[in-house]
Amino acid sequence: MNRIKQKIIVLALVVMGTIAISIPQTVGAACQPQPDKGLYCCGGVQTSLVVCDQTGGKDAGTTQSGVWGILLLVLNILTAGIGIAAVGGITYGAILYTTSSDSAEQTKKAKDVIRNVAIGIVAYASMYLLLNFLIPGGIFQ
């Protein structure tokens, strides 16, 4: 089992490294946004993930600050991560359930995993709805 965990960790590191390398970054004051190519400028750095088109300033309001843009990016990434983790959890529970044969203990474990994933999805959806209700204009646009 340790070898499987090691392989999963190595695979995750390779995927994260590939993503980090594939993000184009050009440091310089003369950053030129190219929206047609999916490249934007944020603080003089060309990026394909962060869009800093918030105007900022003293009278701009909350939704036009750079912090707001970063908050939106983080919450969108978390939402995608929760979805990926939920699919992985359901898949793991389904594999446990399928391979349980006549083992009552493994069947119970599989049902617990699937139930916990469902509870997690409901909890995250509740948090998402609460944030949209509490924050004027909603948090996701």
Side-chain angles (χ1 to χ4, degrees):
M1 192 68 168
N2 276 342
R3 292 194 65 128
I4 293 173
K5 287 181 183 178
Q6 288 173 348
K7 288 181 181 179
I8 290 173
I9 290 171
V10 168
L11 179 65
L13 290 174
V14 167
V15 168
M16 288 188 304
T18 304
I19 291 171
I21 291 171
S22 66
I23 299 172
Q25 296 181 350
T26 308
V27 179
C31 179
Q32 298 296 323
Q34 301 171 354
D36 55 328
K37 294 183 181 177
L39 301 174
Y40 303 94
C41 289
C42 186
V45 176
Q46 194 172 33
T47 179
S48 61
L49 290 178
V50 180
V51 181
C52 292
D53 59 352
Q54 283 82 13
T55 56
K58 191 181 259 186
D59 301 324
T62 309
T63 59
Q64 293 301 314
S65 69
V67 174
W68 185 263
I70 292 172
L71 177 66
L72 289 175
L73 177 69
V74 167
L75 288 173
N76 284 329
I77 290 172
L78 282 176
T79 302
I82 292 294
I84 292 168
V87 168
I90 294 289
T91 303
Y92 174 68
I95 290 172
L96 276 180
Y97 191 78
T98 304
T99 59
S100 66
S101 299
D102 291 332
S103 173
E105 184 179 317
Q106 191 172 356
T107 303
K108 183 182 180 319
K109 183 179 176 183
K111 288 180 180 180
D112 286 346
V113 167
I114 293 171
R115 185 185 71 238
N116 288 338
V117 169
I119 290 170
I121 291 171
V122 169
Y124 189 79
S126 299
M127 187 268 316
Y128 177 88
L129 292 173
L130 182 68
L131 283 175
N132 273 321
F133 177 73
L134 290 177
I135 297 174
I139 195 135
F140 297 102
Q141 300 166 344

